[in-house]
């Protein structure tokens, strides 16, 4: 009998073609994702679950998955899943780090360039100006990128990819990480290790590229923002709760830091209202991996995780 796989979303079907050829795969019938209640009703009959990154796979759902063997998350993050509960029941949890690396590093670099050179701000200004109005020569001065120092907090796959892009732009790069890289890799990447306090004090741009865990919750808060340069810009393309958004708003208001580029927000899909009014803030709605190619590749990675788990014929990106 074929294994049964439940996919909670009905998108990027090209990436699921091999999965569908091998197993009995259920997708939502329409464009809307399956609801939590629908999955709760269906899950007892399935061997594998493929949720979207915002679908809660909690203890109650896992307990009902009496046949469940693998949860293949459509995301690199997995804070939507009660991983400890799943592992405790012998269920494998997998994610999709590979296809997310380059597009996320690209959006981080885009936010650095945009905030430094005030691209979005100037675009907005031009759209409301009359054709006979002039823009002052000194009104749109930005910050340098070449020669500036980028501090990367979290030197994993995405941090390293961003490092390569920043170095290509002529930036100096320092980093801090839970585990320091070996000297050969530091030399190859052209980076220097610093503790977090030194990184914050010495960087013109600080990019957050760490995973979200209890230890990284509010890794940037009031205390950390006060250590940054008043000319510094904070970039977050990782997870919203890494930043204390209330403290960030206050730091931007008072000039403790110069600006921010945010693809993630602390309280879900929408930023604090104050951020929407600030010209020195660039906001994007969690678009780090939002290219058609990347999303199809993520679906293919989900498929490979499920197939690799059942067939043992390819690597599985296990969370632990």
């Amino acid at each position: 009998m074929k294994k049964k796989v439940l996919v909670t979303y009905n998108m990027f079907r090209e990436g699921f073609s091999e999965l569908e050829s091998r197993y009995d795969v259920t997708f939502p019938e329409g464009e809307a994702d399956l609801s939590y209640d629908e999955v709760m009703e269906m899950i007892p009959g399935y061997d594998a679950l493929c949720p979207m990154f915002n679908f809660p796979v909690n203890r109650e759902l896992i307990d009902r998955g009496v046949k469940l063997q693998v949860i293949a998350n459509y995301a690199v993050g997995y804070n939507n899943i009660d991983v400890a509960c799943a592992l405790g029941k012998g269920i494998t949890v997998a994610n999709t780090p590979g296809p997310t690396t380059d597009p996320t590093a690209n959006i981080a670099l885009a936010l650095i360039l945009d905030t430094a050179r005030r691209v979005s701000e100037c675009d907005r200004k031009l759209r409301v100006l009359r054709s006979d109005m002039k823009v002052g020569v000194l009104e749109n001065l930005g910050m340098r990128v070449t020669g500036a120092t980028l501090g990367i907090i979290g030197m994993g796959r995405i941090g390293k990819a961003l490092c390569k892009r920043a170095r290509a732009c002529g930036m100096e790069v320092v980093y801090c990480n839970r585990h320091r890289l070996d000297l050969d890799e530091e030399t190859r990447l052209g980076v220097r290790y610093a503790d977090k306090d030194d990184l914050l004090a010495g960087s013109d741009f600080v990019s957050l590229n760490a995973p979200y865990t209890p230890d990284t919750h509010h890794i940037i808060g009031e205390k950390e923002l006060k250590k940054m340069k008043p000319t510094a810009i904070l970039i977050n393309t990782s997870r919203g709760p890494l930043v204390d958004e209330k403290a960030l708003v206050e730091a931007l208001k008072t000039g403790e830091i110069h600006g921010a580029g945010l693809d993630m927000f602390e309280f879900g899909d929408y930023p604090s209202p104050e951020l929407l009014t600030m010209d020195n803030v660039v906001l994007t709605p969690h678009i780090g991996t939002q290219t058609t190619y990347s999303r199809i590749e993520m679906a293919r990675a989900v498929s490979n995780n499920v197939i690799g788990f059942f067939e043992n014929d390819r690597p599985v990106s296990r969370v632990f």
Side-chain angles (χ1 to χ4, degrees):
M1 182 179 294
K2 286 186 176 181
K3 299 291 187 183
K4 295 189 68 176
V5 180
L6 180 60
V7 183
T8 68
Y9 46 94
N10 192 7
M11 296 180 285
F12 314 110
R13 291 286 286 270
E14 301 98 313
F16 290 104
S17 58
E18 185 180 4
L19 191 72
E20 291 185 86
S21 72
R22 289 173 177 257
Y23 308 122
D24 181 1
V25 184
T26 301
F27 295 91
E29 292 184 1
E31 294 183 2
D33 294 351
L34 291 174
S35 69
Y36 177 82
D37 288 342
E38 288 173 324
V39 175
M40 280 287 282
E41 183 178 345
M42 300 166 69
I43 197 62
Y46 286 86
D47 304 284
L49 174 65
C50 303
M52 184 64 78
F53 53 80
N54 57 357
F55 185 92
V57 184
N58 56 20
R59 178 177 294 274
E60 290 74 21
L61 183 62
I62 293 170
D63 284 344
R64 277 187 59 81
V66 291
K67 295 178 59 181
L68 202 57
Q69 299 177 58
V70 58
I71 301 169
N73 210 33
Y74 185 89
V76 63
Y78 43 84
N79 51 298
N80 59 309
I81 300 171
D82 189 334
V83 175
C85 177
L87 296 181
K89 289 180 171 291
I91 300 169
T92 292
V93 179
N95 62 349
T96 60
T100 66
T101 300
D102 286 335
T104 305
N106 287 342
I107 198 66
L109 179 62
L111 288 171
I112 290 170
L113 296 172
D114 193 327
T115 53
R117 298 304 309 274
R118 301 169 64 184
V119 175
S120 294
E121 179 188 351
C122 290
D123 177 80
R124 290 191 299 270
K125 287 168 66 175
L126 280 174
R127 291 176 188 273
V128 300
L129 289 175
R130 298 192 311 271
S131 60
D132 60 339
M133 295 178 70
K134 295 182 179 180
V135 177
V137 174
L138 300 179
E139 289 183 6
N140 302 308
L141 292 175
M143 298 175 58
R144 69 171 182 165
V145 173
T146 301
T149 298
L150 169 64
I152 297 177
I153 297 179
M155 191 59 89
R157 296 168 299 95
I158 295 170
K160 292 173 186 176
L162 174 59
C163 172
K164 293 176 182 178
R165 288 155 172 77
R167 294 282 293 160
C169 291
M171 303 182 80
E172 300 294 325
V173 180
V174 298
Y175 80 98
C176 66
N177 199 47
R178 184 172 57 178
H179 302 294
R180 183 172 178 174
L181 305 178
D182 62 48
L183 182 59
D184 287 345
E185 189 164 22
E186 287 184 351
T187 302
R188 179 173 58 81
L189 290 170
V191 299
R192 176 173 58 84
Y193 178 81
D195 65 32
K196 189 173 77 168
D197 287 350
D198 288 342
L199 182 150
L200 292 171
S203 297
D204 300 298
F205 301 85
V206 174
S207 177
L208 303 182
N209 300 101
Y212 179 62
T213 68
D215 291 337
T216 59
H217 181 78
H218 285 186
I219 196 172
I220 298 294
E222 181 180 1
K223 180 179 69 174
E224 289 76 19
L225 291 162
K226 288 182 182 298
K227 292 176 180 177
M228 293 172 64
K229 295 180 180 181
T231 55
I233 291 173
L234 178 69
I235 305 294
N236 186 12
T237 57
S238 183
R239 286 292 182 265
L242 269 62
V243 178
D244 181 340
E245 205 162 282
K246 182 179 179 181
L248 175 60
V249 168
E250 189 62 25
L252 291 165
K253 281 182 178 179
T254 60
E256 283 181 359
I257 67 170
H258 179 71
L262 308 173
D263 189 48
M264 300 284 188
F265 314 114
E266 182 175 3
F267 303 109
D269 293 334
Y270 299 98
S272 298
E274 297 93 332
L275 293 172
L276 298 173
T277 67
M278 297 179 176
D279 282 335
N280 57 337
V281 176
V282 177
L283 305 168
T284 52
H286 196 175
I287 63 171
T289 60
Q290 287 196 33
T291 69
T292 301
Y293 176 82
S294 297
R295 289 303 175 95
I296 292 172
E297 287 301 299
M298 288 174 67
R300 189 166 286 118
V302 169
S303 297
N304 284 333
N305 281 331
V306 174
I307 297 168
F309 175 82
F310 286 131
E311 311 299 335
N312 198 29
D313 63 349
R314 65 198 71 186
V316 176
S317 179
R318 289 177 168 84
V319 169
F320 291 106

